[in-house]
Amino acid sequence: MVKKSIIGVTLLVLSGCSQLPESLQTAAEQPITDLTMVIENPQGVQGKDVRLGGVIASVVNEADRTRLEIASLPTDQSGRPDIQAKPQGRFIAYLDGFADPIEYAAGKLVAVAGQLRGSEIGQIGHFDYTYPVVFAQGQQVWQVKERIRLDDIDAYYRCLGIRCQYIHYGFRPGDATVHYQLTP
C-alpha cells in the first residue's frame, strides 16, 4: 500500500512538471509550434494561433509595446524550448506594454502564444531577412536549472559493505553527468 502511495505521488509530481503554463494556452487546440511551417508557407498560416519559443536575440521597448526578436527553437508539449536543438530561424514577437529588459534580456529563453500577423523585413548583420510576426497574448520566460547526477554504482556498493570507502575517495569527475531542466 505504501509503495502504491509513493508511486501515485511521484506520478502526480512528474505530471505537474510537464503541463503547459496557463500563459501559453491558445484558443486553437493544435496551434502551430514549428517555425519552419511558417517560413515555408507564410501566407497560408496568417491569422492562425501559434506557440513558439527560443532564445531572445534582442528586446526593444516601443511607446506602447515591446518587440522581441527570437531565434526559434523547437518546443515540447509544455512549451519549453529544446536547448539542445539547432535554431529554426527567427521571428518577431510583440508584447503589449512594457517588458523589463532585465527580465527579457538577450540570451534568455522564452515562449510566446499568439497569432501570426504578417512579416517584417530586417537584417541580421548584412543579410536581409524576413521575420514572421507574432502578436503575443501570453508569454513565459524559462529558467535553466542544472542537476548533477553522480553515477558511481561501485561506490554505492562499497558503502553498503563493512567499510565505506566512498567517503575517503570522493567521486571521480568521469562519474558525473549534468542535466539541464527548464522551469518557469
Side-chain angles (χ1 to χ4, degrees):
M1 182 66 177
V2 173
K3 285 184 182 181
K4 288 182 182 179
S5 298
I6 291 172
I7 291 172
V9 169
T10 303
L11 289 175
L12 183 63
V13 168
L14 291 176
S15 68
C17 294
S18 65
Q19 288 184 345
L20 183 68
E22 192 172 316
S23 62
L24 296 178
Q25 301 285 343
T26 61
E29 196 170 302
Q30 295 291 326
I32 296 169
T33 58
D34 186 357
L35 186 66
T36 56
M37 287 178 55
V38 176
I39 292 170
E40 290 171 1
N41 184 15
Q43 299 306 320
V45 295
Q46 290 303 311
K48 297 202 175 179
D49 286 345
V50 295
R51 184 181 315 115
L52 301 171
V55 179
I56 298 173
S58 69
V59 57
V60 176
N61 278 298
E62 298 176 352
D64 59 348
R65 64 184 184 178
T66 300
R67 179 184 187 273
L68 298 179
E69 179 182 333
I70 301 170
S72 182
L73 295 171
T75 58
D76 64 13
Q77 68 274 9
S78 62
R80 291 173 169 84
D82 180 358
I83 60 177
Q84 304 297 328
K86 289 178 59 175
Q88 301 173 317
R90 293 190 183 197
F91 67 96
I92 301 297
Y94 284 106
L95 312 178
D96 288 334
F98 175 78
D100 193 327
I102 298 295
E103 183 179 0
Y104 292 88
K108 288 201 173 185
L109 294 166
V110 68
V112 297
Q115 286 189 339
L116 281 168
R117 294 193 195 155
S119 61
E120 289 182 9
I121 305 296
Q123 287 191 321
I124 301 174
H126 295 290
F127 183 78
D128 291 333
Y129 192 82
T130 302
Y131 295 92
V133 175
V134 175
F135 280 80
Q137 297 156 344
Q139 66 274 349
Q140 177 67 55
V141 176
W142 298 100
Q143 306 296 322
V144 178
K145 302 286 184 186
E146 289 183 350
R147 289 183 317 157
I148 298 175
R149 181 175 174 190
L150 301 176
D151 290 324
D152 191 352
I153 295 173
D154 186 40
Y156 173 75
Y157 285 113
R158 285 195 309 263
C159 281
L160 291 178
I162 297 172
R163 303 174 292 164
C164 192
Q165 297 169 348
Y166 184 75
I167 294 172
H168 301 291
Y169 297 142
F171 74 92
R172 296 180 294 272
D175 298 332
T177 56
V178 179
H179 298 275
Y180 298 98
Q181 178 182 6
L182 298 182
T183 59

